[in-house]
Amino acid sequence: MNDSVKVNYSYKINKVLRYIFFAIIVKPLMYIIIGLNIRNSHLRLNSGPAIIVANHNSHLDTLALMSIFPLTTIKNIHPVAASDYFLSNKLLAWFSQSIIGIIPLNRNLTTFNDPFADIVEALRQNKIIILFPEGSRGIPEKLDKFKTGIAHLAKRCPEVPIVPVFLHGFGKALPKGEALLVPFFCDIFLGEKIFWTGNKSSFMDKLEGSMLNLARAGNFTAWE
Amino acid sequence: MNNLTLNVKILMLVIIGLLSLSTLIFFLIKKNNPSQNYTELWLRIRSWWVMIAILFLAISSSAKIAIVFFAFISFLALKEYLSLIPTRRSDRRVLFWAYLAIPIQYYLVSIHWYIMFLVFIPVYMFLLLPFRMVLIGDTKGFLHSLGTIYWGLMITVFALSHLAYLLVLDPLKNPYGGGAGLVLYLIFLTQFNDIAQYISGKLFGKHKIIPLVSPNKTVEGFIGGMIATVILTILISPYLTPLNFGQSILVGFIIAGFGFVGDVTISAIKRDFGVKDTSNFIPGHGGILDRLDSLTYTAPIFFHVLSYFYY
């Protein structure tokens, strides 16, 4: 990447197709085939800037998190997604950027470029960002250790609220490496918003603690 | 609405009347005691309105649409059940097969293939589900998994699909009620029995009937509800079913008795998993299975009693 990193990614979005995709495919899939239990729905932030931080088990996670918002708000939501995966071929890149509206993130930080420039810019434009600090979907329905990139981002945007969200069940419905969707009711636990605390370790403790509390609230048995 | 007989339309009006009355009473109580929190009760009444509106819409359209509607109810119930029970990672594909039984079972209803409707899940799914599981090869917890999945399939798909089969029974044998009449009759009596047992238990309840499973249920509630249900069954049977007086009494006892058994069976499962409700899908009521628990027992048994006498 070069100086053009300040590109506004919403320019790549096909707004009409995106609206139709969410209205006739994603929302019916989420609310009829799968079925969402949204817990603490009053904690949903309806306008940006905000960062939604969730655990990651399935490709359904992003679509589910976007589905909890009204169709008119979805245009302001941008999931951060690994460029090595989502931009790996032309069709997937088009779909990810034009329909889902992802902000690509380079997972291998080998350059001196600022990996968060696009995210910070989107937040400056009052967008809602979705971030999965586990880095990858990992083992379905198991919470992995969070990577600390989120702390760097929070430090740069201390005024932006961060909403922890715990997702349960999506890894059962569509785990990594499976193409067959099996319907399960899935749970979305919204947490209280948190802010940058002033240092990395206390921030990560707070975020992970909040996540564990949400996970415990469901009282779910492990998926073996 | 053309497929509904006059008597069915009258019963629909009666149900709407009863619900309006409860809504009115609710507002009066709320007005007289404004300090208390009535959110839960209000959600419960509102959900009744929504459920009744959807049910009336489904049975007053064509039989095909009503069958699709009941298939969807089975889908929601099975999904709720499979989300509640612990399943193994390796069971995903077996669960997918279980879901596939829904369209097949309801298709059998729609083409009136009676024998196949009766044996598809009890015989074919019973034999094929373990085979699918064997192909995956995870033997740890094999029988436990198989048992729980199959039980759910029987309750949520096989048992409930009898409601849909009532719709396609020969209407000439039931000129006053038709298929929709039988469905509405059974659902109305089953839900009435639930409420009658509850009220009778509140009024006269003393001796616990099954304390280890449902500590709030009493012998007095059960018997009071049963008497009320049998009386109501005797009163409405001539208008909606071909049943004679003696058969009506029998059906009244069956609906009250097996409705109770269905209710406490689902309660036992909830107790097993340590949950209060099977989900929170229906605001104020809990899950789909919380609402359908009695019906999963009364539907197949009423169906077979009716077909023994008439079909």
Side-chain angles (χ1 to χ4, degrees):
Chain A
M1 290 195 229
N2 50 35
D3 271 343
S4 68
V5 286
K6 288 233 160 136
V7 63
N8 176 0
Y9 270 89
S10 61
Y11 289 144
K12 289 196 178 176
I13 289 172
N14 187 327
K15 279 187 182 156
V16 177
L17 276 184
R18 189 185 211 207
Y19 190 93
I20 294 171
F21 178 67
F22 275 89
I24 71 167
I25 296 177
V26 179
K27 287 228 174 192
L29 171 77
M30 286 298 161
Y31 286 93
I32 298 172
I33 305 294
I34 291 177
L36 303 180
N37 296 322
I38 303 165
R39 318 289 183 104
N40 316 326
S41 54
H42 61 280
L43 295 176
R44 190 186 74 192
L45 296 180
N46 292 316
S47 57
I51 303 170
I52 294 174
V53 166
N55 57 324
H56 201 18
N57 295 311
S58 166
H59 280 319
L60 295 171
D61 294 344
T62 309
L63 298 176
L65 284 169
M66 294 172 85
S67 299
I68 68 173
F69 291 93
L71 282 169
T72 46
T73 309
I74 287 176
K75 65 176 186 289
N76 294 323
I77 304 175
H78 298 277
V80 174
S83 52
D84 54 283
Y85 183 94
F86 288 95
L87 303 185
S88 58
N89 73 60
K90 257 193 169 159
L91 185 68
L92 185 61
W94 171 81
F95 179 76
S96 305
Q97 293 185 298
S98 301
I99 307 295
I100 307 296
I102 67 159
I103 298 177
L105 179 76
N106 187 356
R107 276 196 281 204
N108 312 308
L109 300 177
T110 50
T111 60
F112 293 104
N113 284 326
D114 175 5
F116 295 131
D118 294 334
I119 304 174
V120 173
E121 171 62 17
L123 288 170
R124 211 185 54 75
Q125 293 177 16
N126 294 334
K127 302 288 190 185
I128 298 172
I129 297 297
I130 297 174
L131 206 76
F132 300 108
E134 284 170 291
S136 86
R137 286 167 292 163
I139 302 167
E141 300 299 296
K142 258 191 89 166
L143 196 56
D144 286 333
K145 189 106 185 100
F146 279 7
K147 296 192 161 60
T148 53
I150 177 68
H152 297 288
L153 186 61
K155 189 180 177 182
R156 279 174 66 173
C157 310
E159 75 293 345
V160 173
I162 293 163
V163 183
V165 178
F166 180 74
L167 304 173
H168 170 263
F170 298 99
K172 285 161 94 173
L174 188 70
K176 188 176 186 172
E178 291 272 358
L180 180 76
L181 178 91
V182 176
F184 285 98
F185 276 103
C186 294
D187 300 272
I188 299 180
F189 290 82
L190 298 179
E192 300 273 358
K193 62 185 175 191
I194 61 173
F195 291 92
W196 172 242
T197 53
N199 82 68
K200 194 166 110 179
S201 68
S202 75
F203 173 79
M204 290 309 290
D205 284 350
K206 193 170 172 184
L207 181 64
E208 291 190 302
S210 166
M211 211 64 171
L212 280 175
N213 278 335
L214 291 173
R216 269 190 216 112
N219 200 16
F220 298 113
T221 44
W223 196 43
E224 303 294 348
Chain B
M1 292 285 274
N2 295 329
N3 63 331
L4 299 181
T5 65
L6 179 65
N7 289 346
V8 175
K9 288 174 189 168
I10 292 171
L11 178 58
M12 288 166 117
L13 284 178
V14 168
I15 293 171
I16 291 172
L18 287 173
L19 197 53
S20 305
L21 190 67
S22 345
T23 313
L24 193 71
I25 293 171
F26 168 78
F27 281 118
L28 287 176
I29 294 173
K30 197 180 163 191
K31 209 177 155 195
N32 289 334
N33 313 285
S35 54
Q36 271 186 298
N37 183 5
Y38 292 104
T39 322
E40 194 64 20
L41 193 57
W42 169 239
L43 285 176
R44 199 174 169 86
I45 291 174
R46 204 185 59 180
S47 293
W48 269 122
W49 279 110
V50 174
M51 288 187 290
I52 281 170
I54 296 171
L55 175 69
F56 283 7
L57 216 68
I59 61 169
S60 57
S61 49
S62 69
K64 288 262 184 307
I65 290 177
I67 290 169
V68 171
F69 167 74
F70 285 118
F72 185 65
I73 297 288
S74 273
F75 169 70
L76 291 177
L78 180 61
K79 185 170 63 168
E80 183 177 271
Y81 175 79
L82 295 177
S83 307
L84 181 68
I85 64 163
T87 55
R88 302 176 304 167
R89 277 165 202 268
S90 52
D91 289 336
R92 284 185 79 255
R93 284 187 150 68
V94 183
L95 301 182
F96 188 78
W97 275 43
Y99 279 115
L100 275 185
I102 299 171
I104 298 171
Q105 175 75 355
Y106 283 89
Y107 174 70
L108 295 170
V109 174
S110 76
I111 61 167
H112 308 200
W113 189 355
Y114 182 59
I115 298 294
M116 198 57 176
F117 158 80
L118 288 181
V119 300
F120 170 62
I121 292 174
V123 176
Y124 292 97
M125 288 308 287
F126 178 72
L127 300 175
L128 287 174
L129 272 188
F131 175 58
R132 186 69 191 91
M133 230 176 217
V134 165
L135 288 182
I136 294 164
D138 183 3
T139 51
K140 193 166 176 285
F142 183 91
L143 187 56
H144 183 265
S145 256
L146 185 60
T148 48
I149 296 168
Y150 187 70
W151 193 86
L153 196 59
M154 283 296 283
I155 280 290
T156 62
V157 186
F158 181 70
L160 286 178
S161 66
H162 286 79
L163 277 175
Y165 213 98
L166 288 173
L167 286 168
V168 298
L169 291 174
D170 185 0
L172 295 176
K173 290 185 178 171
N174 186 23
Y176 298 117
L182 293 173
V183 171
L184 205 56
Y185 167 88
L186 177 65
I187 294 177
F188 177 58
L189 285 174
T190 304
Q191 301 301 334
F192 172 83
N193 179 59
D194 278 3
I195 297 166
Q197 288 194 356
Y198 175 79
I199 293 173
S200 163
K202 282 271 174 201
L203 292 177
F204 314 112
K206 245 196 195 117
H207 303 90
K208 294 194 185 314
I209 188 164
I210 189 153
L212 294 177
V213 177
S214 269
N216 294 327
K217 291 208 161 40
T218 58
V219 179
E220 292 79 2
F222 175 67
I223 291 172
M226 188 172 250
I227 293 168
T229 303
V230 171
I231 293 171
L232 186 65
T233 309
I234 294 168
L235 290 176
I236 69 173
S237 292
Y239 301 102
L240 293 158
T241 70
L243 300 170
N244 65 29
F245 184 73
Q247 292 161 349
S248 303
I249 295 176
L250 176 68
V251 165
F253 276 111
I254 282 175
I255 289 176
F258 284 102
F260 173 81
V261 180
D263 187 340
V264 293
T265 305
I266 298 293
S267 297
I269 289 169
K270 289 190 286 187
R271 209 153 259 266
D272 188 5
F273 297 123
V275 294
K276 200 178 134 279
D277 295 321
T278 50
S279 79
N280 50 12
F281 187 77
I282 313 173
H285 292 253
I288 300 138
L289 283 171
D290 289 313
R291 192 65 277 139
L292 296 180
D293 49 8
S294 314
L295 215 48
T296 58
Y297 270 62
T298 58
I301 295 172
F302 169 69
F303 180 91
H304 292 299
V305 170
L306 189 73
S307 66
Y308 174 74
F309 288 128
Y310 292 96
Y311 293 94

